Amino acid sequence: MVNQWSITKVQVPLNVVGLVIGRQGSNIKLIQERTNTKISFSDEEVDGHRTCIIKGSEENIALAQKLVIKAVNDQPVIEAVEMLVPIAAVGRIIGRNGDVIRSISRASGSKIIVERDEDRIASLSYPENMRKIILKGGKEQIEAARSLLLEKVIEVEEMRQQIHASATNMSMRARSRQAAHEDDDSQSSSISLGPSQEALTLANSDRFIEAYVSAVDSASHFWLQVVGPRSVQLDKLVTEMTEYYECEENRELHKLDKVNIDSIVAAKFPHDNSWYRGMICSYEPNETDPIESLVTVYYLDFGDTETVKIDTVYELRTDFLKLNFQAIECCLANVKPESVKGDEAADAFEELTYAAQWKVVMVKVVGYQQEGDKTIPCVQIIDTNGPTDIDVAEELAKRGLVEFSNGVTRLSSSP
């Protein structure tokens, strides 16, 4: 005799449907196998519930119904908890395309909502440098998520401390812009370095990024370094290069057989006696005393240029090329270059941007400027270190050192 199949329906609250079903239907599959029933959920939502449909013999349906109801009742009480994290940590918490926050959500079983910029601006209930995150789930799930999020905050703080230490190490490197001006022609002739060059964000992005102004040619022409993990990597690279090239035996292995313009080399910086990556811009041989020959070097990670003796320039060990070149040539957005008032404007620009002092300013790409075969980012610079934010271009214009302009060349794609 064939068993008669019956149908029973159970109303399941929307907020626990996924938990009752389980990952890839694992929970429902177990109930079906245990009770020899067939279980499905309707697509329709009525009064905050979805209908669980159970098919099978009456005896088996009764058991399956009890198990489904038990699964609903066993679900933890859903709570919503807020936590504040530093804005500086939000990018690391979210991750590239949201991969990190999705991973934390999966690992903890909680739902994580990061407050939007516009909502944060509208709220005055907590410090401006903090961002609110809402955690939803059971108590254990929320605690697991909170712990994982705090790990990311700690990682960011540790990285910022390492970056600060790197900036301290670089503080000895600064030199006056007057010395740099002696080599202006060499600086301005620097070539595009292709995919090995560190880049700023794309134009039309609303995101400001932290940067150092590492070298200045004028108030409208300068070089930036992006602040972040690369800062620590550069500090480590300089330390390793200095230790390596200070050894005479190592220098003997990398003597230049021939000086080639535009070749990448290891060059000592005379103002701090450290070794850096550079590009040869010009060569002035001394036939009488070859060791007195002079080489003009553009320092690829900082943007400045020096003329040094040939015995402080050597072939670059190939593994020192792994890190992208860090100096990014830029121009100041919203300023007419022809209006810049020479050294006076440059001095003020250095003061406003803490040039070569390794103090952070906020920058945003607003367009690009084409100069020959080079495409140079035009950036807005904001000093946020004081009680009020200062737009550098606007401040220079207020001082009568430049003419302010709202126009920059915009490109439809990145350079």
Side-chain angles (χ1 to χ4, degrees):
M1 181 177 176
V2 179
N3 291 332
Q4 294 293 320
W5 280 63
S6 301
I7 297 177
T8 294
K9 297 180 180 180
V10 179
Q11 300 301 312
V12 177
L14 284 176
N15 62 340
V16 298
V17 167
L19 297 170
V20 170
I21 293 175
R23 187 175 179 83
Q24 296 181 340
S26 58
N27 293 344
I28 286 299
K29 286 177 183 176
L30 286 174
I31 295 175
Q32 289 182 136
E33 291 171 1
R34 182 175 173 182
T35 61
N36 192 28
T37 57
K38 184 175 181 181
I39 304 174
S40 62
F41 279 81
S42 65
D43 293 330
E44 294 182 1
E45 300 175 4
V46 180
D47 296 330
H49 291 73
R50 282 177 62 186
T51 302
C52 174
I53 304 169
I54 306 172
K55 296 179 180 180
S57 67
E58 290 186 3
E59 182 180 354
N60 290 339
I61 283 178
L63 177 59
Q65 183 177 11
K66 288 181 180 178
L67 293 175
V68 169
I69 293 172
K70 183 177 185 300
V72 172
N73 293 334
D74 286 348
Q75 299 308 318
V77 176
I78 302 300
E79 300 178 4
V81 174
E82 296 180 358
M83 68 179 291
L84 297 178
V85 300
I87 286 179
V90 171
R92 194 174 189 89
I93 287 171
I94 294 175
R96 186 177 180 85
N97 298 320
D99 57 346
V100 173
I101 200 167
R102 283 196 295 271
S103 174
I104 293 174
S105 182
R106 286 195 298 269
S108 65
S110 66
K111 184 175 182 180
I112 305 172
I113 303 169
V114 179
E115 182 185 42
R116 299 177 300 176
D117 278 338
E118 52 268 35
D119 294 334
R120 178 178 61 85
I121 293 170
S123 175
L124 300 175
S125 60
Y126 55 88
E128 292 183 359
N129 65 338
M130 304 297 283
R131 181 73 66 86
K132 182 168 66 178
I133 294 180
I134 300 172
L135 309 176
K136 292 184 177 181
K139 184 172 293 186
E140 291 183 0
Q141 295 168 327
I142 287 175
E143 285 306 312
R146 189 200 300 273
S147 176
L148 292 170
L149 291 170
L150 288 176
E151 285 181 11
K152 295 301 174 185
V153 172
I154 292 170
E155 287 175 10
V156 169
E157 180 57 30
E158 289 176 347
M159 178 60 68
R160 291 185 71 84
Q161 291 176 4
Q162 292 174 1
I163 291 168
H164 177 72
S166 299
T168 302
N169 290 339
M170 291 298 180
S171 62
M172 297 272 303
R173 194 179 187 282
R175 63 166 186 166
S176 67
R177 178 177 43 79
Q178 283 71 23
H181 264 308
E182 296 171 4
D183 306 313
D184 276 350
D185 291 341
S186 298
Q187 279 189 310
S188 61
S189 65
S190 61
I191 62 172
S192 175
L193 297 168
S196 294
Q197 181 66 53
E198 194 70 16
L200 291 170
T201 54
L202 296 176
N204 301 322
S205 169
D206 289 332
R207 190 168 70 93
F208 278 86
I209 61 174
E210 296 182 330
Y212 301 127
V213 175
S214 59
V216 176
D217 175 26
S218 71
S220 61
H221 183 214
F222 49 90
W223 283 259
L224 298 176
Q225 286 180 357
V226 175
V227 177
R230 297 287 190 273
S231 306
V232 178
Q233 293 171 21
L234 177 60
D235 184 44
K236 182 180 178 184
L237 173 67
V238 171
T239 299
E240 291 176 352
M241 286 183 61
T242 300
E243 290 177 354
Y244 183 79
Y245 285 100
E246 281 298 296
C247 176
E248 186 176 352
E249 292 181 2
N250 292 336
R251 293 200 301 273
E252 286 295 321
L253 296 173
H254 297 281
K255 278 190 173 180
L256 294 175
D257 295 328
K258 183 181 179 182
V259 178
N260 295 314
I261 304 303
D262 294 343
S263 61
I264 308 301
V265 294
K268 196 171 188 176
F269 190 70
H271 302 282
D272 69 354
N273 293 320
S274 293
W275 289 79
Y276 300 91
R277 301 184 295 182
M279 183 180 69
I280 294 177
C281 299
S282 66
Y283 175 52
E284 186 180 329
N286 187 317
E287 303 295 343
T288 305
D289 187 0
I291 201 171
E292 294 297 323
S293 298
L294 299 176
V295 180
T296 299
V297 177
Y298 168 70
Y299 291 90
L300 295 159
D301 294 304
F302 293 85
D304 46 11
T305 304
E306 282 283 350
T307 298
V308 298
K309 291 173 63 175
I310 188 64
D311 64 349
T312 60
V313 179
Y314 292 85
E315 292 176 345
L316 184 67
R317 206 175 75 187
T318 54
D319 61 308
F320 289 140
L321 281 168
K322 292 180 181 179
L323 181 67
N324 284 351
F325 301 128
Q326 295 300 297
I328 305 169
E329 188 175 3
C330 298
C331 62
L332 189 60
N334 304 322
V335 163
K336 297 177 181 178
E338 67 276 8
S339 72
V340 176
K341 294 188 177 179
D343 288 346
E344 187 181 359
D347 289 341
F349 179 83
E350 286 188 343
E351 170 205 335
L352 291 167
T353 62
Y354 313 97
Q357 296 180 40
W358 317 112
K359 194 168 182 178
V360 172
V361 292
M362 306 303 294
V363 302
K364 180 172 72 171
V365 178
V366 297
Y368 293 97
Q369 178 175 302
Q370 197 71 32
E371 290 188 6
D373 61 347
K374 295 188 297 182
T375 304
I376 301 176
C378 297
V379 299
Q380 180 185 12
I381 303 181
I382 307 293
D383 173 22
T384 60
N385 293 286
T388 58
D389 294 350
I390 298 174
D391 185 303
V392 171
E394 290 182 359
E395 182 62 25
L396 289 172
K398 287 178 184 177
R399 298 185 187 186
L401 299 174
V402 301
E403 289 184 21
F404 196 65
S405 168
N406 291 323
V408 294
T409 301
R410 286 189 171 274
L411 302 183
S412 57
S413 60
S414 61

